[in-house]
Amino acid sequence: MSTLAVYRNIYTEEQFQKVYGTAKDLERPPLTLKEKLARSCKCSTHSFHTLLKHRIPIVGWLPRYKLKKWILGDLIAGLTVGIVHIPQGMAFALLTSVAPVYGLYTSFFPVLLYMLLGTGHHVSTGTFAVLSLMTGSVIDEHLFENPLHRNLTSEEQSEIYAQRIGMAAAIAFLMGLIMVIMFVLQLGFLSTYLSEPIVKAFTNAAAFHVTVSQIQNMMGLPLPRPTGSFAIFKTLASVFRAAHMTNVAELIISILCLAVLIPIKELNVRFRTKLRTPIPGEIIMVLVATGITFASSLDNRYNVQIVGSIPAGFPTPKLPALDIIPNVIGDTIAITFVGYAVSVSLAMIYAEKHRYSIDPNQELLAHGISNMVSSLFHCFPSSATLATTNILESAGGHTQLSGFFTSCVVLVVLMWVGPLFNYLPKAVLACINVVSLRQMFLQFQELPELWKISKTDFSVWVVTWLAVVILNVEMGLAVGVVFSMMTVVCRTQRAQCSVLGRAINTEIYRPIEQNDKCFEIPGVKILSYNSPIYYGNRDIFKETMSRIVGLTQEKIRRREKALKAMEQGMKMSVSVVDTGIANPVYHLDGCNIKLEQDTEIKSLIIDCSGIIFIDIAGARLFIQHLELYGVVRCRVLS
C-alpha cells in the first residue's frame, strides 16, 4: 500500500507576508473617473456585436440553430402550447374582468417579444392565472361603480369592457416600465428574496383564490367579485346566500366539463412518457361546447352566458389610459414583483435542468418591453406561465423558436377562427381555469418531505399560505417575505459555537460533538462560530463562549476589577512563549495578582472563517470578551 507524506513550512502571519506579500500588495490601483468614462465610452465592432447578442439574444442563438435536430421538437411543442393558449387566454381574461378576446391578444404579442429578448429556452409566456386574478381584483376595486351584469345590453357591456381593458392595459404598461427601470438599476437580484417555499405556497394559495372566484361563473350566479382581505370567505358566503339563483343549465355544463377535463389531465400526466403530445382536452371541450350551444340556442332558451362577439384581426394600437396610473401604482408594484419572481424562478428551474444559464437582468428587460409594447394592443399583464411552460418542455421544445409556432396558432385564431367562438359558454372557461390549476394544488404533496428536510422552510410555507388565503394575494406575499427574513435572523441567533478537535492521524479539525474520533490538543481550546456576530446575537455569542471556556460571572467580575486597575496606570508584565499564550501576571503596586484561569486552557483559538460579517456592536463585544480571558496577543484565523 503506497503512502503519501506532505511536509509544509510553518509560518507566522508576519513571515508569510514577508514572503508572499499582503492582500493590499496584490490589489490593482482603482481606476480614475477619466479612465472609467473612457472604458464605458469605448466602442468597436466586437463590442457592438457583443452588446447586440447580450440585449437581443436571438441574434446569438438563431445563427447556431441546429435545424435537423431541434426543428421538429420546437414545432410540435409550439403548436401544442398554442392550442392550449387559446382556451386559457380567454379563460384568464375572465379572471382579469375583461372580454375574452383580450386574452387572445395577450397570448400573442408577449410570446413574440419574449422570443426575441428572452434568455429562457423553455419558458412560455402569456396569460398567468395569478397575475390575472391580481389585476382583476385591482380593476374591480377601482371600477366597482360599473359592475358587469348579465342583464346589461351589449352596448353597455362594451362600454364597461372598454373601461376595464383601459385600466388593465395601463397596469401592464406601468408593470413593463417598472421592470425596465429595474433593469437599468440592475435589480435582478431582488428575485432572490422570494425563496422556493414562498413561491410555491403563494401560487398554491392563489390557486384557491382563482378556484373560489370561478364558482359563481360555474353556477351562473350574477354576483360581484369581493376584494380586499377575507375575499375567499366573502365569496363563499355570497354564493351560499344566492345558491337558490343557480342557473341549472350552466351548472350541468360545468359538471360535464369537469368530468371530461379532469380525466384527460390525469391521462396526460400518467402517460406523459408515452404520449408525443398531450391530449388537447381544453380545445376539444371549447369546440364541442361552442357547437352544442350554437345548435341548441342555449343562450336564448336557458340564459346561458356566452363569450359574445370576438372580432377578427388585430386591434388598433392605442396608448393606455395613463391618467389612472397614480391610482394603481401600489398594486402594480406587487403585480410586477410577483410576475418577475415567477418568471425568473421558472426560467432558472429549466435552465438548471438542461444545463444552460439565464440572465436575470435581461429577463427584466424582456418581460418589461413585452408588457409595455403589448399594452399598446389592449393586453393585460403577462409573465411566464406554469402550465404551458411545463407542456413546452415535456413536448420536446429546445429553443425560443417554439414561441414563433405558438404565435402562429394564436394568429390563425385571431384572423379567421375567432368569430366561431362567439357561442362559447363562460362556464366552460371557468372550468378550464379551475382544471389548469391542478399542478399548483398538487404542491401539498411536497409538504411531508419539506417537513423532514427543514422545519423552518415548512413554517415559511404554512405562514405564507395562510396569509394569502386569509388576507389577500398582495398582503399575503408581503407577510411571507417578512416572515422568511425573520427566520433568517432567528437562524443566525441560534447558531452554535462548536469545539473543534483534531481527527486521528490527520490535520483535519472537526466538531467534537459530531465525531467521536476527534480529540482536543491539551492546553488548547479551538472554537468555531458559524454565524455573523451582530447586535442581534451578540449576547448569545457571549454566553456560549463563556460557557465553553468556563468563565463564570465571579471570574468575570474579578478580571474586570483587575483590568480597571490596569487602565488607571498600573504596570503590567507579561511572559509569552513562542508556541502559545502563557497565563498573564499583573503587578499592582509591587504586589503580584495572578488572574484565575482554567489551568487546562493555555491558548484559545477562534476560527472565524464561518463569520461572514461583524458589525460595530459585535466587534466591540468580541474585543471586550477577549480582554476578559486575559488575552494579550490575539491571533484570529479567517
Side-chain angles (χ1 to χ4, degrees), residues 270-398:
R270 182 165 299 184
F271 299 100
R272 180 172 50 187
T273 57
K274 298 181 179 179
L275 294 173
R276 179 58 178 171
T277 59
I279 302 173
E282 291 90 348
I283 194 65
I284 294 174
M285 181 55 61
V286 165
L287 296 175
V288 172
T290 302
I292 293 176
T293 304
F294 174 75
S296 305
S297 300
L298 296 179
D299 55 326
N300 295 325
R301 297 173 60 184
Y302 300 103
N303 197 24
V304 173
Q305 283 287 94
I306 60 175
V307 168
S309 176
I310 297 181
F314 290 103
T316 304
K318 180 182 178 182
L319 193 67
L322 302 181
D323 56 320
I324 65 174
I325 284 181
N327 300 328
V328 298
I329 186 170
D331 298 309
T332 305
I333 291 175
I335 295 174
T336 302
F337 196 51
V338 172
Y340 174 64
V342 172
S343 300
V344 173
S345 299
L346 279 176
M348 287 183 174
I349 289 172
Y350 288 100
E352 182 178 358
K353 181 178 180 180
H354 293 274
R355 299 182 180 179
Y356 63 88
S357 60
I358 66 165
D359 184 355
N361 287 302
Q362 180 62 25
E363 290 293 298
L364 274 173
L365 181 64
H367 290 287
I369 293 181
S370 295
N371 279 280
M372 289 184 68
V373 176
S374 300
S375 67
L376 304 178
F377 295 92
H378 307 285
C379 296
F380 50 86
S382 63
S383 69
T385 65
L386 294 174
T388 55
T389 298
N390 184 40
I391 293 173
L392 178 67
E393 191 267 345
S394 60
H398 297 284

Side-chain angles (χ1 to χ4, degrees), residues 114 121 153 158 192 232 255 260 354 379 409 539 555 571 575 582:
Y114 186 84
H121 301 337
T153 63
S158 299
T192 58
I232 284 183
I255 294 175
V260 174
H354 293 274
C379 296
V409 175
D539 293 334
K555 292 180 181 180
K571 297 180 181 180
S575 60

